[in-house]
Amino acid sequence: MSAILLLVMGGIHLYLVLFSGFDGLVGTLFVINAIGALVLAVAMVAVPDRLLTLTSLLSLLFTAGTLLALVLSLTLPGGFLGVREQISAELVPTTLVVEGLGTLVLLGATLLAARLRRP
């Protein structure tokens, strides 16, 4: 489930670059987000058990950071990185759900992986 949510998050960012006109610094960061999400999704499925806690923690921080950036762009008067987002904008509600759910699922995965690693 966590890998799927990472892929959806990355897919949303790639879609926004390709079809919604995000360019410049923000567009570059969105492409990096899509690549990072793909790498982390593959890692969540493919890493050996001994690296699962680290991988899930990195994925959690990545997803939570992405969610935080969106929330800041929605709430700060000047936006975030020059982008002032609105809740009614394309894919914003969907992204909030995907990234919020992803953060919760990855938190659970991280805690479970850490618990399973204990002797």
Side-chain angles (χ1 to χ4, degrees):
M1 181 68 157
S2 56
I4 291 170
L5 290 166
L6 283 162
L7 290 173
V8 172
M9 180 182 73
I12 289 170
H13 285 86
L14 187 59
Y15 173 88
L16 291 171
V17 169
L18 295 175
F19 301 109
S20 293
F22 282 91
D23 56 4
L25 175 62
V26 174
T28 301
L29 292 174
F30 276 23
V31 170
I32 291 170
N33 182 286
I35 294 167
L38 175 61
V39 169
L40 289 168
V42 170
M44 286 297 295
V45 174
V47 297
D49 289 346
R50 63 185 171 81
L51 295 176
L52 189 56
T53 302
L54 176 61
T55 303
S56 59
L57 178 61
L58 291 174
S59 298
L60 169 62
L61 294 173
F62 182 77
T63 303
T66 303
L67 176 60
L68 177 62
L70 177 56
V71 169
L72 290 174
S73 72
L74 285 164
T75 57
L76 291 178
F80 182 68
L81 295 178
V83 175
R84 176 78 172 109
E85 207 49 87
Q86 295 184 27
I87 194 71
S88 61
E90 183 177 25
L91 293 176
V92 168
T94 303
T95 305
L96 287 168
V97 170
V98 168
E99 292 174 359
L101 186 58
T103 298
L104 293 175
V105 167
L106 284 160
L107 176 61
T110 302
L111 294 173
L112 182 60
R115 186 172 184 197
L116 294 175
R117 289 277 303 147
R118 289 190 196 150

